[in-house]
Amino acid sequence: MPVIKEESLASSCHFCGRQRDSQKLAIPANAELKGLLKANIPRKESAAICAECLELLKRAKAQIESHSTIFDQNDHVLPTPLRMNAHEAFTGRGVTIAFLDSGFYAHEDLTKPVDRIVAYHNIFAPDENVNALETSDVASWHGMMTSVVAAGNGHLSEDFYRGIASDAQGVLGKVGRTGRNPEKNIQQGLEWIIEHADEFGIRVVNISAGGDFEQTYLENSLCQTMDRAVRVGLIVVCAVGNAGMAPGHPVLPPASSPAAISVGGLDDQNSLDRAKRGMYRSSYGPTIDGLQKPELIAPGIWVAAPILPSTPTAVQAQLYSTLDAAADDQLHAIIQCSPGIDKDLEGARDLPVPLLRQLITIKLREGNVINGNYKYVDGTSFASPIVASIVACMLEANPKLTPQQVKRILIDTAERVPGVEIERQGWGVVAPRKAVEVALSMRT
């Protein structure tokens, strides 16, 4: 059955009002598209629209379907401490988390009002100092997001989008340039952390990066380094990856190491209702050694994270956010004064206000934009630092905890998701408040 019915009509589009003499106008046959059209043109029973407006309707329909859950009860993404019921009194004070990632940026959520980045190391340029973090490049965004998800204080959101360990300090280790980080790079970065753990007070390590191939931990060099890191007292948290049930995509080093706390993804549907909990498309074991991985899960979707400043994405997000908050009579002028940022908006600057509002909403949703400074992201890369941030709060409550005790507490306090296989969720969803309370009770 055809999606649209076409008619040769020399007329104007009933949606945007523009003359389309040289084009065929279309009457949508899809019931949902017709519903969207009728909602915008209530007086027309059978409105004919141009190809551009038809595409706009299709994009609107896609966004409604893909975001219906997240915006069903809330008109914004919930902050991580709220959705996880984190303990308000513990925010990682006095604890240092090290992050290994492809690159980093000194985001204001880490540097203001107090700079909490205590060290930076680039395995490709060991003499490069922390000033290099003030310039964003193509490799900066991922590590910036993981570090801020864990330890950001929400400076650019008036403390709203902060991490659970919002007072923790950070050590940033660059182990990649773009894309995937090879195992040898991750190992080199981890070796540097082991060597400098005492110097910078590092207690927790987050690794949101995967290895090269499946290999037993008894023979894998990175896994052996992981074991050494834990033996010297470091708690290492790793993302398991996002391959879901795809064949040939097992949990790889370093997450396959028995020494790691390996984290998969939860989909809580941006809701505080635990009955809505489900699974993100995480990789899972058993590993080649028969180990259960992941051990735990944490939010792997709808996670608020910063947008890398001074990038086209940041400029677009600022424009979308400005337009979304602007009065109707300001929209055309704002678009007119913002050339070269978004070609769709430029081409639509003469559209009626209702259609502009529709397009602005589509742009916000397609870009996962929360506001001019934040977007929502997905991946176990962001579930892992959430668990690392919880560990930092546990260590604030009880600095004497060993890596083995931390892992046991997290497992013992985790909450199983009903109806989900153990292989996918491990011992369940991390429970920050319970974990901190148990850690506190063990303090002597």
Side-chain angles (χ1 to χ4, degrees):
M1 180 178 293
V3 175
I4 61 171
K5 176 185 175 183
E6 294 185 345
E7 294 182 1
S8 298
L9 299 173
S11 180
S12 61
C13 172
H14 289 145
F15 203 45
C16 65
R18 291 179 288 194
Q19 292 291 324
R20 299 297 186 187
D21 292 348
S22 62
Q23 299 187 29
K24 289 183 177 181
L25 299 182
I27 300 175
N30 181 285
E32 292 182 46
L33 291 180
K34 289 179 73 173
L36 283 174
L37 186 58
K38 186 176 177 62
N40 286 275
I41 316 175
R43 297 181 181 178
K44 289 282 185 183
E45 287 297 325
S46 183
I49 60 174
C50 64
E52 291 179 15
C53 289
L54 179 62
E55 180 62 26
L56 180 64
L57 282 179
K58 289 180 178 178
R59 289 165 66 184
K61 176 177 175 288
Q63 293 306 313
I64 289 170
E65 291 173 347
S66 64
H67 294 75
S68 59
T69 297
I70 186 173
F71 297 109
D72 184 28
Q73 295 180 326
N74 311 297
D75 59 0
H76 54 256
V77 176
L78 297 175
T80 301
L82 174 63
R83 69 203 293 184
M84 295 300 292
N85 189 29
H87 201 303
E88 302 86 351
F90 295 90
T91 53
R93 295 180 191 87
V95 180
T96 301
I97 308 172
F99 300 87
L100 293 178
D101 219 305
S102 53
F104 297 90
Y105 177 81
H107 192 271
E108 290 187 29
D109 283 11
L110 294 176
T111 63
K112 292 184 179 180
V114 176
D115 191 345
R116 291 177 290 118
I117 300 174
V118 296
Y120 168 67
H121 178 68
N122 181 350
I123 66 168
F124 308 104
D127 295 330
E128 190 173 69
N129 61 34
V130 73
N131 293 331
L133 297 173
E134 297 176 3
T135 303
S136 61
D137 62 38
V138 69
S140 300
W141 69 273
H142 195 268
M144 176 201 67
M145 286 184 171
T146 57
S147 56
V148 172
V149 163
N153 62 8
H155 179 77
L156 293 183
S157 62
E158 298 182 348
D159 301 334
F160 190 71
Y161 287 117
R162 64 179 184 85
I164 291 176
S166 56
D167 286 313
Q169 296 180 312
V171 169
L172 311 180
K174 179 179 173 64
V175 295
R177 291 190 172 93
T178 58
R180 192 182 62 81
N181 303 305
E183 269 185 30
K184 62 182 180 63
N185 293 4
I186 300 171
Q187 181 175 340
Q188 187 177 340
L190 186 56
E191 288 171 345
W192 183 90
I193 288 173
I194 294 171
E195 183 180 347
H196 294 84
D198 290 340
E199 179 182 355
F200 299 116
I202 301 169
R203 294 294 310 278
V204 190
V205 184
N206 181 78
I207 305 177
S208 291
D212 297 341
F213 52 85
E214 194 174 21
Q215 185 180 26
T216 174
Y217 72 86
L218 297 172
E219 299 175 359
N220 183 269
S221 180
L222 176 55
C223 287
Q224 292 170 3
T225 304
M226 290 276 294
D227 184 65
R228 183 158 61 93
V230 172
R231 279 191 276 110
V232 301
L234 294 170
I235 298 117
V236 187
V237 186
C238 301
V240 296
N242 311 312
M245 300 179 67
H249 291 85
V251 177
L252 303 177
S256 62
S257 167
I261 298 173
S262 304
V263 184
L266 166 76
D267 183 358
D268 63 7
Q269 301 188 60
N270 189 47
S271 174
L272 301 181
D273 184 353
R274 296 187 182 187
K276 293 186 175 182
R277 286 178 167 178
M279 290 300 300
Y280 181 70
R281 52 180 176 83
S282 311
S283 302
Y284 60 93
T287 68
I288 193 172
D289 297 298
L291 300 176
Q292 172 63 59
K293 294 289 181 174
E295 288 98 350
L296 302 160
I297 57 175
I301 191 169
W302 313 121
V303 179
I307 296 171
L308 185 62
S310 304
T311 61
T313 298
V315 174
Q316 288 174 345
Q318 288 288 348
L319 175 58
Y320 304 156
S321 182
T322 298
L323 288 168
D324 190 46
D328 288 349
D329 60 1
Q330 296 176 332
L331 295 180
H332 295 97
I334 293 172
I335 295 174
Q336 189 72 33
C337 295
S338 308
I341 297 177
D342 187 289
K343 63 179 183 180
D344 288 342
L345 284 171
E346 278 193 79
R349 62 179 177 267
D350 296 325
L351 288 180
V353 167
L355 299 188
L356 274 181
R357 287 291 182 197
Q358 184 81 66
L359 182 56
I360 292 164
T361 299
I362 289 172
K363 288 293 181 177
L364 287 166
R365 301 294 179 259
E366 287 181 342
N368 295 346
V369 174
I370 297 174
N371 57 39
N373 297 310
Y374 299 89
K375 64 186 299 184
Y376 45 98
V377 295
D378 71 285
T380 58
S381 285
F382 308 107
S384 180
I386 290 174
V387 173
S389 69
I390 296 168
V391 173
C393 295
M394 294 169 64
L395 292 174
E396 178 191 356
N398 186 350
K400 293 183 179 180
L401 290 176
T402 66
Q404 293 75 21
Q405 287 174 318
V406 167
K407 192 171 189 177
R408 173 50 55 188
I409 292 170
L410 288 171
I411 287 173
D412 287 346
T413 57
E415 301 171 348
R416 282 268 169 81
V417 179
V420 176
E421 310 97 297
I422 292 174
E423 289 80 5
R424 296 190 67 190
Q425 66 172 309
W427 280 267
V429 184
V430 283
R433 185 178 296 272
K434 291 180 182 178
V436 166
E437 288 173 348
V438 173
L440 197 59
S441 71
M442 295 172 60
R443 189 167 183 168
T444 56

